[in-house]
Structure formats: C-alpha cells, structure tokens
Amino acid sequence: MRALSAYRWELLLVVLTVAAAAWATVLSPYYLGFDQITYSLQQSMAVPAVIAAGLMIIVVIGEIDISLPAILALGNILFAHFSQIGVPVWLAGLAVVAVGVGAGALNGALVVAFGLPSLAVTLGMMGAYRAFALLIGGQEGYAAFDESYIWLGSALIGDVMPASLVLVAIVFAVFTFVMHGTVYGRLCYVIGNNARAARLSGVRVPLIKVAAFAIGGATASLASLVYVGQYQSARADNASDILLFIVSAVVLGGVDIFGGRGNVVGVLLALLLLGTLKNGMGLANFPGPVQTLVVGTLLVVAVLIPRLAELNRARLSPRRRPPAPEPRGQPP
Amino acid sequence: MIRRRASAVDLPGAERAGRAMARTTFLLENRVLGVLAFLVLLAIFFSLVAANFAAVANANTIALNGSILVVVACAEAIVVITRNYDLSVGSVVALASYVGLDLVRLHPGAGPILVLAPIAIGGLCGVVNGLLVAYGRIPSVIATLGTLSIFRGLAYLYANGQQINGKDLPDWVAGTASSHVFGLSTLVLTAVAVVALVGLGLRYLRVGRQIYAIGSNPAAAAFYGLKAPRVVFQAYVMCGLLTGLAAFLFGARAGYIVPYLAQGLELTALAAVVIGGVSVLGGSGNVAGAAIGAVTLATIDNGLVLLGASDFTRQFIQGAAIVIAVVVDSVIQRRVRDLLKLMRRRGRVG
C-alpha cells in the first residue's frame, strides 16, 4: 500500500495513458495494433522524448534551457549539409552531437560565469543558434538526403520496431542510470535542492551545471538525427513549437520546476501519455492550435494541482507559522 | 574580477567607497543613455550605408512600426520588474484583437466606446496569468508558456477558420491607425502617452513603488508587510490591459485579422525590455528604457530591410543583443552588490 501511494503520480500517468489509448481505439478501430501504436508513437514523441531527457537534468539542477529546439534545428541543418557534401554518416552524426554539446556548454558557461537567469540567456542564444542554421541552410533548407542519413528516423529494426523508439529506450535507460545510479546524478539533485549548501560542502557546482547544459545540448542534437530521418526535411525554423511539448513532458513527469526532485521514469510515462493523447487528437481531427491548447492546459493543471494541495495543507495545519528564513552563513 | 580592481586602488576607505558609489550610480543612471547612444550610432550607420534611411518618410515608418511594440514592451516591462515574465503577450494580442474586433464588427452602432472590448479581454487574460503566477505560485515561465498556447487555441476556436477583413469594420477603427493629431500619428501619440503614464505611475504611485520593491528584494518587501501576491497580480492585470490596447492597434493597422496574428511577439517584447536596460533579475529599469529598446529593434529591422540584409543578420543581432544586455546587467548588479558590501563594512548602511 505504501509503495502504491509513493508512486501515485506515476500510476495516474499510466491510467491516463490507458484512457487516452482507449479513446484513440474508439475513434479508429485500426489504432489497437502493435505496428500502429509504435508507428504513431514514433511520429508523435520520438524527437521530443530524446530532448526531454536532457531538459530534465537541466530542470533538476534548477535551471531551464529554452534554446534546445534551436539547437535541434541547427543540428538538422548541419546534418543535412553533411549529407549534401557526402560525409560518412557516423562522422556527420558525431560532428552534429559535438556541436550540440558545444552549444549547450556555451549556454551553461554564460549562466554560470555571470550568474545570469538561464531563461534570459537561452532566449538570446535561441536567436543566435537559429540564425546560424539560417546562415548555413538558407530559407529553403534541405529536402534530399543520403539513404544512410534517414535510417535512424525511419527504419524498422527486424521489420517491427522503429529504430527511433529503440534509441529513445536506450537514452532513457542511460539517463535512469545517470540520474539515479551515479554520483553525478545525485549531485544534480543536491544542487537543485540547495545550491548554496552544495557549494559550501565542496561540490563543484559550476562544473556540474555546465555539464548538465552540455548534456541537454547533446540530446537536442541527437534528436536532430532522428528528426531528419523522420520528416526528411531540415529548415532553420524546424520544431519551433516543440518547446511546449517537452516542458510539459518534464513537468507532467513530476519533475519539480524549482529543481531537486523528479525521476526519469516519470518523464518517460508523461511522454507516453502526451504522445498517445496527441495521436488520439490527430485521429479526432483536432486542428494543431487546439492540440496545443490541450497540452498547454495539461501543463498548467499539472503544476497547479500539487501547488493547490500544498497551499491547502498549509492552511489546514494547526500551527500557521511563516517559513523559517534561510540560514545565512558567512560568505567564504 | 571587479572586486579585485576596486581593492587594488590604494585609497583611504571613505574616499574609496565614495568613488565606487559614484561609479556605480553613474552606471545605473546611464544605462538608458547607453542604449540611446547605441540607437544614435545605429541611425548614423544606417544613414551612411542605406540610401533611403535618413528621410522623413522612413522615420515615420519606423515610428509607426515601433509604436505598437513600444506599448507591448511597456506591458512586459511591468511584469519583468516584479521578477516575472509574460510569455503569452503574443497570444493575448491575437485573442484580444480577434474577439474584440469581432465584437466591433457585430455592433457597428456602438461606436468607438468598443475600443474597450479588446482592452477588457486583454485584462481578463492578465487576470488569468496573475492568478496562476501570484496566487497559484506557479513559476511565471511555466504558467505563461501554458497560457501562451491556451489563449492562442481559444482565438483559433473562436475564429473557427474565419478571418476578419479590415473593410468589414467601422471606419473609426482603421481611422485610429491612420489619423493624425497636430500632425503626429495617433499611433505614435498613443505609444508616447502610454510610456509617459506608465512611467510616471511606476515612479510616483504607491502600486508602482510596490512593484519595484517586490522585484528588487522580495524578502525585504515581505518583512516590510507588502502582500507580494497582490502586487504581482496587479502587475499582470496592468500588463494584460496594455497588451489589449496594443491588440486593438495591431488589429486596426492590419488589413485582416487572423488568429495567427503576432506570433513570437513575446520574444521581441522581452528583447526590447532587456535591451532597454530593465533588469531580468527584477526591481530595476524603467518603461522609457523598454520603449527605447523597442524603437532600437524597429530601427534595426527597418535598416536591415533597406539594406536587403538576410533574416540571419536580424535574428543574430537580436539574439546577441539580448545576451549582451543581460551580461551588462549582471556586471552592474555585481558592482552594486560589492558597493553595498563595502559600505556595510564601513557601517554606513545597516
């Protein structure tokens, strides 16, 4: 019973996902089949899932990076450009991910070096990254790719399993290990909970923060390798509306937006829910802006419910004391 | 780095503190001047390289294009001063302008009083944002990212695939955008009036001072007895009302109104605010700066179009300007912090 209540949020996500799948089945009798479900999940969530894993680490340390979709677009353009000039695909993939790591690390370095709010920094960098994508790809972008370049986003492994979903599974397995099984992951939670205490106890906060941003950039560029194969298009304005989806997935997955709390499995469940829901809405012929409206509402409700419960608990508690002020130590 | 430089100068303590203070106040007071100087340099540069830039007609174009952005930037600045963001202004413009002007279209007899319709709708959106952020305690980025999609979706649902043609609207609507008072465009005058009123209000009204107090030190404001949620809520409502006004101007200027109006406006507005020297850490900066930031962006846009420059340059300059403005901001903040530390050590500030 205690185990059940500890995983209440995750359980709710599973129930909602099943409900969304049932709804999709009612809408279309063809939905309920392995091929159809994997295909539609690949379409609706493979790309955002890879980025959401990276964004999760950044949110856990108490920051945010809204330039990840722009790094994805830059990765698309670079990858497509490499395809045009005939670079072997493995080298191109490595180069694109390296650029993503560099872009993410640059964001992190700016945030850490100047103590800046990450939203404002990444807002500016977003414009810069998209500008570079535009510089390389022009207005038209690219639409033709070498066969090997689209494998990751469109191939079926053993004729059944989309390669991109296998990648998502690998990414989430790795991230589960990193966040819950390594010192680095634990330190991310420590920083998110209390960066000051972490610094005072000797944790190299700047290094870990920059690494988190770099990992975010890596996932965004990894996602671009999927994106190119899936949509067979690369333009500087690619994925400009994906931010809502990935932020919603992270928040719905139970990651505390103030940092320090949340687990990888929750994010994966939230992605499955959002992906299934998106497919259902597609089957029901919901137009794009209405689908975004639903996701946006889910995002707001998902943050609001725990807050309201918290406020209510505070109101009902017998001793109404203001929270104790943060202890102030001597600056080192 | 800065602290080291300050202590390397071997001066008697009081004089040292005095100099540091003079330097910091100079920086603080001249942040707007810096943006203004940048604007002048920009204008000179464009006049030299673009043949048509330095002409009265072109100045008019910049003023017209910039005036709506000035209003939105003022709205955004109010919220940013409280240490929050509003990412939904673009969607509020779309919703308020579509629904508001549709009401105007359906009731042609009511006359110009219906200019209040988009303003009221904008105010309602501000109420929603304010409730979520101030009373729901949701971080503003998340709350307004959600309402960004919600307001846009509502506009889309309301429009139901239709669009409003400018010629179906009463003449006074388009008249507002094209009319002149004392030889100056009504649009420009409206923007100037908004900047003046909001600027004075923030400086002299009680709620204005409270907005600065909450933004510059929330803990101190709370100990002083300020009800932070109420002030933040009021800031969002003001932001919504002003955005509603901008929505009316947007609709009046556009030939036809679609629910896709003003996409991405929130980024431009935030850029204008940040470039205009309003601190993203809250509590400092003013709407006049935000207005200058908006005019700067409009000038860059205009000059680059005249030069035939690519989208790349525009996006890159806008992005880089934000990052530079934010870095400058943090350097100033650090100086202020060091100065306060210095003065506290000398017992001049409690």
Side-chain angles (χ1 to χ4, degrees):
Chain A
M1 205 57 215
R2 189 177 299 161
L4 266 186
S5 70
Y7 291 101
R8 208 164 40 179
W9 188 263
E10 283 78 3
L11 218 62
L12 179 68
L13 289 176
V14 172
V15 170
L16 286 176
T17 309
V18 172
W23 180 52
T25 315
V26 172
L27 286 170
S28 160
Y30 303 107
Y31 181 77
L32 204 62
F34 183 77
D35 289 357
Q36 188 55 39
I37 289 179
T38 51
Y39 173 76
S40 49
L41 276 181
Q42 174 201 358
Q43 291 294 321
S44 62
M45 64 151 245
V47 171
V50 177
I51 311 182
L55 180 67
M56 184 212 162
I57 297 197
I58 299 177
V59 173
V60 163
I61 61 165
E63 305 282 351
I64 195 158
D65 187 344
I66 60 170
S67 71
L68 292 178
I71 298 179
L72 165 78
L74 180 59
N76 283 353
I77 294 284
L78 279 176
F79 199 48
H81 188 71
F82 286 139
S83 171
Q84 295 262 299
I85 58 178
V87 177
V89 64
W90 61 269
L91 188 60
L94 277 180
V96 167
V97 173
V99 169
V101 169
L106 179 59
N107 290 347
L110 281 170
V111 168
V112 167
F114 296 98
L116 301 174
S118 43
L119 181 85
V121 173
T122 53
L123 174 75
M125 297 311 283
M126 176 170 86
Y129 296 142
R130 282 212 190 268
F132 277 114
L134 203 58
L135 179 68
I136 303 167
Q139 295 286 358
E140 296 79 29
Y142 303 87
F145 300 92
D146 187 77
E147 200 63 26
S148 60
Y149 275 68
I150 59 173
W151 182 84
L152 189 59
S154 60
L156 290 174
I157 291 176
D159 277 339
V160 280
M161 197 65 191
S164 57
L165 287 188
V166 175
L167 177 74
V168 169
I170 295 172
V171 165
F172 272 86
V174 171
F175 272 71
T176 311
F177 173 68
V178 169
M179 289 311 277
H180 305 305
T182 64
V183 175
Y184 176 79
R186 297 319 301 170
L187 288 181
C188 286
Y189 285 99
V190 169
I191 291 176
N193 270 310
N194 193 337
R196 191 184 159 79
R199 188 166 51 86
L200 291 178
S201 53
V203 176
R204 281 181 291 178
V205 176
L207 191 71
I208 289 177
K209 280 198 170 180
V210 172
F213 276 96
I215 293 172
T219 56
S221 48
L222 194 60
S224 73
L225 309 185
V226 178
Y227 191 103
V228 163
Q230 193 172 330
Y231 297 97
Q232 308 198 1
S233 130
R235 287 165 48 100
D237 59 355
N238 275 159
S240 50
D241 51 358
I242 207 175
L243 182 68
L244 176 75
F245 195 95
I246 53 177
V247 171
S248 304
V250 170
V251 170
L252 260 180
V255 178
D256 189 334
I257 198 68
F258 293 109
R261 210 162 33 176
N263 63 59
V264 181
V265 176
V267 176
L268 183 60
L269 291 175
L271 283 161
L272 285 174
L273 168 62
L274 286 174
T276 313
L277 194 65
K278 204 169 166 213
N279 291 329
M281 292 191 290
L283 287 173
N285 281 326
F286 280 23
V290 180
Q291 297 193 14
T292 352
L293 186 152
V294 174
V295 177
T297 314
L298 261 179
L299 169 66
V300 170
V301 171
V303 208
L304 199 56
I305 289 177
R307 296 261 156 237
L308 287 184
E310 211 170 276
L311 290 179
N312 203 31
R313 214 176 303 132
R315 209 158 48 89
L316 290 180
S317 75
R319 275 183 300 169
R320 291 177 61 185
R321 278 190 313 182
E326 204 180 316
R328 295 201 170 272
Q330 285 300 310
Chain B
M1 189 177 82
I2 293 144
R3 194 172 349 156
R4 206 178 306 136
R5 203 191 304 154
S7 58
V9 184
D10 196 26
L11 291 170
E15 195 180 336
R16 204 169 71 200
R19 284 208 184 170
M21 173 130 121
R23 219 173 24 231
T24 310
T25 7
F26 180 81
L27 268 178
L28 275 177
E29 281 172 0
N30 294 285
R31 188 143 53 151
V32 172
L33 284 186
V35 188
L36 212 53
F38 177 63
L39 181 57
V40 172
L41 283 180
L42 206 64
I44 295 174
F45 171 73
F46 280 134
S47 317
L48 291 179
V49 292
N52 308 325
F53 184 83
V56 179
N58 193 48
N60 262 331
T61 313
I62 296 178
L64 282 179
N65 287 337
S67 53
I68 299 179
L69 183 59
V70 165
V71 177
V72 183
C74 275
E76 184 76 50
I78 301 176
V79 170
V80 173
I81 292 173
T82 67
R83 265 193 204 190
N84 288 295
Y85 300 92
D86 188 348
L87 297 182
S88 71
V89 285
S91 300
V92 173
V93 164
L95 182 64
S97 134
Y98 197 96
V99 179
L101 288 176
D102 198 45
L103 288 175
V104 172
R105 185 175 64 86
L106 295 173
H107 305 281
I113 185 71
L114 275 183
V115 69
L116 292 178
I119 297 180
I121 294 166
L124 270 180
C125 296
V127 167
V128 173
N129 283 335
L131 283 177
L132 291 174
V133 175
Y135 294 106
R137 304 275 166 84
I138 303 181
S140 61
V141 179
I142 303 298
T144 57
L145 183 66
T147 54
L148 160 92
S149 61
I150 293 174
F151 296 149
R152 178 79 61 188
L154 289 178
Y156 186 90
L157 279 178
Y158 182 89
N160 198 14
Q162 306 289 310
Q163 65 175 42
I164 300 177
N165 290 315
K167 60 179 190 304
D168 294 342
L169 293 169
D171 289 339
W172 63 267
V173 177
T176 318
S178 57
S179 66
H180 289 71
V181 183
F182 305 127
L184 283 169
S185 154
T186 321
L187 272 180
V188 177
L189 285 179
T190 313
V192 171
V194 165
V195 174
L197 285 178
V198 175
L200 289 174
L202 284 180
R203 198 174 170 88
Y204 293 111
L205 291 186
R206 178 199 290 233
V207 63
R209 300 322 300 167
Q210 288 174 339
I211 284 176
Y212 276 102
I214 297 283
S216 72
N217 193 338
F223 280 123
Y224 173 71
L226 278 186
K227 293 201 163 41
R230 197 170 64 195
V231 178
V232 172
F233 177 75
Q234 286 166 339
Y236 269 101
V237 175
M238 276 184 259
C239 171
L241 291 170
L242 284 176
T243 313
L245 175 66
F248 173 76
L249 300 176
F250 228 106
R253 256 206 109 193
Y256 52 91
I257 302 156
V258 289
Y260 297 108
L261 201 68
Q263 243 160 357
L265 181 67
E266 56 280 348
L267 299 186
T268 323
L270 263 176
V273 167
V274 173
I275 292 171
V278 176
S279 168
V280 278
L281 303 167
S284 108
N286 55 45
V287 286
I292 295 172
V295 174
T296 307
L297 285 178
T299 309
I300 293 178
D301 257 2
N302 175 276
L304 291 178
V305 167
L306 288 185
L307 283 178
S310 67
D311 263 8
F312 158 74
T313 332
R314 202 181 58 78
Q315 271 191 331
F316 184 78
I317 289 184
Q318 189 168 318
I322 296 178
V323 175
I324 293 171
V326 175
V327 169
V328 168
D329 183 51
S330 98
V331 170
I332 294 179
Q333 299 271 350
R334 206 173 284 189
R335 286 206 167 188
V336 172
R337 230 184 4 253
D338 288 346
L339 175 70
L340 285 177
K341 218 178 273 169
L342 196 64
M343 287 169 67
R344 198 175 297 135
R345 218 174 288 144
R346 299 194 46 77
R348 288 176 53 178
V349 172

